[in-house]
């Protein structure tokens, strides 16, 4: 009887073989379109806008929301620090 060996006795199949395994789906089954060339044209256009605002209104809304939350959080922290620095009256 004895113990089973920890490592398998047969050699595994090569990982980087030249043939495709039959269990994987083919790359032709991807139904989406490649958007990379179009996005490269948008982002490489020389119109003076920063990269994070090139895609229009959604980028502007996201940027302004982020800035508003950042400024609001900074003001909130400064007010909390001011309140914490005041001595308590007894």
């Amino acid at each position: 009887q004895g113990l089973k060996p920890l490592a398998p006795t047969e050699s595994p199949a090569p990982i980087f073989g030249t043939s495709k395994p039959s269990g994987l789906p083919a790359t032709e089954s991807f139904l989406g379109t490649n958007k990379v060339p179009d996005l490269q044209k948008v982002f490489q256009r020389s119109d003076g806008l920063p990269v994070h605002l090139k895609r229009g209104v959604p980028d502007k809304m996201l940027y302004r929301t982020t800035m508003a939350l950042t400024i609001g959080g900074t003001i909130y922290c400064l007010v909390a620090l001011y309140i914490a620095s005041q001595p308590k009256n007894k």
Side-chain angles (χ1 to χ4, degrees):
Q1 293 245 332
L3 299 172
K4 292 182 183 177
L6 294 177
T9 56
E10 65 226 16
S11 63
I15 296 174
F16 299 107
T18 56
S19 62
K20 287 173 101 177
S22 60
L24 294 176
T27 56
E28 292 82 40
S29 65
F30 180 68
L31 298 177
T33 58
N34 188 3
K35 298 178 187 175
V36 173
D38 298 330
L39 290 175
Q40 283 178 339
K41 288 177 188 173
V42 169
F43 286 115
Q44 291 176 354
R45 193 173 19 191
S46 176
D47 54 6
L49 286 175
V51 172
H52 59 276
L53 296 176
K54 290 249 185 193
R55 292 184 70 190
V57 175
D59 283 347
K60 289 179 185 176
M61 288 176 51
L62 181 62
Y63 178 75
R64 289 179 182 170
T65 302
T66 303
M67 286 296 111
L69 288 172
T70 302
I71 292 170
T74 302
I75 292 170
Y76 178 78
C77 287
L78 290 174
V79 168
L81 185 61
Y82 175 75
I83 291 172
S85 68
Q86 298 301 315
K88 289 188 175 186
N89 295 332
K90 286 193 172 186

